[in-house]
Amino acid sequence: LNGRDVKEYSVSQLARILGIVYQEHSAPFPYTSLEVVRMGRTPYLGVMETPSEKDTAHAYGIMRELGIGHLAEKSYTQISGGERQLVLIARTMCQEPEIILFDEPTSHLDFKNQAMVLRTVKKLSARGITIVMTSHFPNHVWNIGTSVAMMNYEGMVAAGAVDQVMTEKNLTKTYG
């Protein structure tokens, strides 16, 4: 990562470079959505340090930017799946990473929420954040991808520019 073995980084150093949005997440406590987003500041805090007012304002600003400011005081456990994904994206943005890994971010979401999440991913990419995203839906590549690695159960099928990889031959080899 950035020319170094990933094992050379401390956890907090790695968290400043790399953010992850998992396909599913359940909070063990009914934190507010703002508290969940603010957890993204953890890599910048000392061992016993709590987020500052500036951290809270930063987290809330990201929520407003994503159109979820109205969720700030709502319990994370009580919002929809699409809203939860946007809160997790906001939390990751609060980390200010250079790279964000998205593990099937639209899994289990209805069409409206899928579109909302994909638009957000595309905006992050346009800002210069490196996005690595897994998906089982080839149409996601057409909507937001610039390069793609297509894999099946045997391994790599093809990698490169979207228009060169997303061919009938490769799709058939991948999906049958």
Side-chain angles (χ1 to χ4, degrees):
L1 183 63
N2 290 336
R4 290 173 51 193
D5 185 323
V6 73
K7 295 174 190 169
E8 294 176 19
Y9 290 95
S10 70
V11 172
S12 63
Q13 287 173 324
L14 195 56
R16 291 177 189 192
I17 297 169
L18 182 65
I20 302 173
V21 178
Y22 297 98
Q23 67 176 282
E24 292 185 33
H25 177 264
S26 58
F29 300 103
Y31 295 109
T32 67
S33 294
L34 179 60
E35 289 171 323
V36 171
V37 174
R38 196 173 57 186
M39 288 176 192
R41 300 306 297 161
T42 303
Y44 302 95
L45 301 176
V47 176
M48 298 301 288
E49 193 176 357
T50 59
S52 67
E53 286 183 28
K54 184 178 177 183
D55 291 326
T56 300
H58 180 63
Y60 185 65
I62 290 170
M63 292 184 78
R64 281 195 325 267
E65 178 185 340
L66 292 180
I68 57 171
H70 64 285
L71 299 176
E73 297 307 316
K74 288 190 178 183
S75 172
Y76 177 78
T77 59
Q78 300 299 311
I79 59 178
S80 76
E83 291 169 332
R84 220 174 287 136
Q85 275 300 80
L86 288 174
V87 167
L88 293 178
I89 291 170
R91 180 188 67 184
T92 303
M93 289 172 64
C94 216
Q95 276 179 249
E96 301 179 39
E98 300 168 24
I99 303 164
I100 301 177
L101 305 178
F102 286 93
D103 178 23
E104 298 184 48
T106 61
S107 178
H108 310 298
L109 299 181
D110 62 25
F111 183 76
K112 176 186 173 190
N113 286 316
Q114 283 186 32
M116 186 170 39
V117 168
L118 291 173
R119 275 193 308 272
T120 302
V121 170
K122 192 171 186 170
K123 285 179 189 175
L124 293 172
S125 178
R127 287 185 181 175
I129 297 172
T130 299
I131 303 295
V132 178
M133 183 176 112
T134 62
S135 178
H136 291 279
F137 300 102
N139 57 324
H140 291 170
V141 175
W142 290 112
N143 291 330
I144 64 171
T146 55
S147 60
V148 61
M150 188 179 291
M151 300 175 71
N152 65 15
Y153 290 107
E154 297 172 1
M156 186 69 68
V157 172
V162 171
D163 59 343
Q164 294 173 352
V165 173
M166 299 299 289
T167 64
E168 182 177 354
K169 178 184 172 189
N170 288 340
L171 287 167
T172 299
K173 191 172 181 182
T174 301
Y175 293 101

